[in-house]
Amino acid sequence: MTDKVKKTKIAIIGSTGSIGLSALDVVREHKSRFEIVALAADSNFEKLKQQIDEFKPCFAALNDETAAIKLKNSVSGVEIRAGKDGVASLCELDDVDIALVSVVGIAGLEPALKTLRSGKRLALATKEVLVAAGQLIIDEAKKYNAEILPVDSEHCAIFQCMQAAGALKYKSVERLILTASGGPFLGKKDDELKNILPEQALAHPTWNMGSKISIDSATLMNKGLEVIEARWLFDVPPEQIDVVVHPQSIVHSLVDFCDGAAIAQMSNPDMRMPILYAFTFPERVSLKIPPLDLAAIGKLTFFNPDREVFPCLDLAYTALDEGGILPAVLNTANEIAVQKFLDGEIGFLEIPSYIEKKMKKCDNIINPTLEDIISADKWARKKE
Ligand code: MG
């Protein structure tokens, strides 16, 4: 009898983006272990077609309906779905074991909810889902007995530190410390950032990522969003979550425990590791990445973030402290401000002021429903 392991069946929502491509690399490296059942993207039908040809999923979807028609006419043997609902519907297919949600922004909310409500494992790369609707997402996961595995290097690190310490069982966590690379403008002051161009902000020193997260990283909003994400994933209050700048991106985050011990997770920066871990947890599976050579790295440095030059971090703490729909408003206002910056409509330093203005105008609703959160997103998108 052969020792054949049942393959884990995966749906990737956002397969043509940076995380989606890394996930497909992981699958390529472990073909005997994983099977791609469904792939979805926003509008890039050419790239999706290539992926369909290679991975032969049973289902695929494009958010853009015109692109979906083009795709339908150019492939066979795969069911093509279209639009927002078509994309989200892939997460609840009977055949799917794990859905990786790695689309940009609030668009990840629907696919994430569908995954949880069908009791499947959610490998969550779209942090905005937890930022906008943290309490709801956690409640749904509990209700449907579905797991959320973080696909964010810092949160995957914290998750691993917690596992190592048995922290989930023993409630011994004192503090979560998220590391931040500091982005491309580390050490710069306002007058040097005034006339920054999008291409300068997109050039991240240690991680190669999509444009929205690269800008978020340059403003430190990415870390602010990650503080909110950590609050929900690990049920730790904001005053016990800190941020430390660590430009080498080797220590991916750490946890302080009640006895003074701190456990950190380290590795060379490579998103394939958190993706693979989310697919195989609790098992660890081999991955071809260079082992950590600490002597070659020589020095790891840490310092406090400059909260005056990068006010987005504190805006996120404010939104988290006040709660309600404010984190959703912060998230949407940030999406819009980033787009405006990329389009050359506003300067780099206007990103935080744009977000702050929207937050100040918001009439907060405490304990929001899903509808309240969706309305808050719509409200924050309205042109003034
Ligand atoms: Mg991260």
Side-chain angles (χ1 to χ4, degrees):
M1 212 172 94
T2 50
D3 198 17
K4 212 174 167 197
V5 187
K6 190 179 162 283
K7 284 189 182 181
T8 304
K9 296 182 175 184
I10 294 173
I12 301 180
I13 310 302
S15 66
T16 58
S18 166
I19 295 289
L21 297 179
S22 294
L24 289 173
D25 251 357
V26 164
V27 171
R28 223 176 256 126
E29 199 173 321
H30 289 284
K31 280 193 182 130
S32 59
R33 202 175 171 112
F34 303 123
E35 182 183 338
I36 295 292
V37 174
L39 292 172
D42 180 41
S43 59
N44 190 344
F45 87 96
E46 276 140 350
K47 186 109 219 152
L48 187 57
K49 182 185 173 320
Q50 281 172 16
Q51 295 176 345
I52 292 170
D53 290 343
E54 182 181 352
F55 291 95
K56 314 229 173 320
C58 303
F59 299 85
L62 280 167
N63 183 41
D64 183 310
E65 311 221 356
T66 319
I69 293 169
K70 281 190 202 156
L71 181 66
K72 211 174 200 163
N73 293 334
S74 62
V75 292
S76 60
V78 46
E79 183 179 326
I80 305 295
R81 298 184 178 179
K84 193 169 146 277
D85 294 342
V87 168
S89 72
L90 302 187
C91 298
E92 53 187 2
L93 292 167
D94 281 347
D95 232 13
V96 169
D97 299 315
I98 300 176
L100 167 64
V101 175
S102 54
V103 298
V104 178
I106 195 77
L109 187 56
E110 194 77 20
L113 281 170
K114 283 237 163 38
T115 306
L116 297 174
R117 286 172 179 163
S118 44
K120 300 180 193 299
R121 177 181 291 187
L122 171 63
L124 184 61
T126 308
K127 64 193 72 170
E128 293 91 337
V129 167
L130 281 169
V131 172
Q135 184 73 65
L136 271 156
I137 290 288
I138 296 302
D139 289 348
E140 292 296 282
K142 277 190 193 139
K143 186 171 165 191
Y144 292 93
N145 201 18
E147 292 172 297
I148 305 176
L149 271 285
V151 180
D152 199 340
S153 58
E154 296 78 0
H155 304 76
C156 177
I158 291 172
F159 185 75
Q160 292 179 61
C161 298
M162 298 275 210
Q163 297 296 328
L168 299 175
K169 187 169 166 197
Y170 299 112
K171 298 216 173 296
S172 50
V173 172
E174 194 74 23
R175 194 165 61 124
L176 308 182
I177 305 166
L178 296 167
T179 52
S181 68
F185 306 137
L186 181 60
K188 297 232 182 309
K189 295 292 173 198
D190 277 1
D191 51 340
E192 297 167 275
L193 295 175
K194 240 183 355 221
N195 300 316
I196 285 296
L197 297 169
E199 45 275 34
Q200 293 169 283
L202 288 168
H204 196 278
T206 49
W207 293 99
N208 184 9
M209 309 176 287
S211 57
K212 159 106 182 354
I213 186 169
S214 294
I215 304 300
D216 284 349
S217 190
T219 62
L220 280 199
M221 180 56 97
N222 184 49
K223 215 45 56 179
L225 300 179
E226 288 181 355
V227 167
I228 304 178
E229 185 186 10
R231 189 263 170 273
W232 296 114
L233 278 171
F234 305 110
D235 193 22
V236 171
E239 59 276 18
Q240 284 171 255
I241 308 174
D242 278 348
V243 171
V244 68
V245 176
H246 167 48
Q248 296 83 9
S249 299
I250 296 293
V251 175
H252 296 301
S253 278
L254 51 155
V255 181
D256 270 352
F257 293 94
C258 55
D259 58 355
I263 298 184
Q265 187 258 326
M266 300 196 278
S267 69
N268 285 311
D270 190 320
M271 281 313 292
R272 289 176 304 161
M273 185 187 285
I275 294 167
L276 179 62
Y277 194 63
F279 286 173
T280 62
F281 171 80
E283 199 180 338
R284 278 187 185 274
V285 171
S286 72
L287 184 66
K288 288 188 202 111
I289 68 170
L292 198 54
D293 185 346
L294 286 175
I297 295 162
K299 197 161 77 173
L300 299 177
T301 51
F302 301 91
F303 37 93
N304 288 322
D306 186 337
R307 306 179 101 102
E308 271 169 36
V309 177
F310 301 100
C312 283
L313 182 57
D314 283 337
L315 288 177
Y317 272 100
T318 303
L320 185 53
D321 284 337
E322 296 194 18
I325 56 168
L326 211 56
V329 169
L330 165 100
N331 180 57
T332 306
N334 179 54
E335 275 185 34
I336 296 167
V338 168
Q339 195 55 53
K340 281 182 181 289
F341 169 67
L342 289 172
D343 294 342
E345 286 176 38
I346 62 172
F348 184 76
L349 295 178
E350 290 168 88
I351 296 175
S353 45
Y354 181 92
I355 299 163
E356 192 175 12
K357 241 194 267 165
K358 276 272 173 194
M359 285 168 69
K360 283 197 169 139
K361 277 191 196 157
C362 158
D363 283 325
N364 206 0
I365 303 170
I366 301 301
N367 297 323
T369 61
L370 186 59
E371 288 67 36
D372 293 333
I373 287 163
I374 291 166
S375 312
D377 171 64
K378 282 202 183 118
W379 172 82
R381 272 175 212 284
K382 255 197 269 169
K383 285 224 167 75
E384 285 153 54

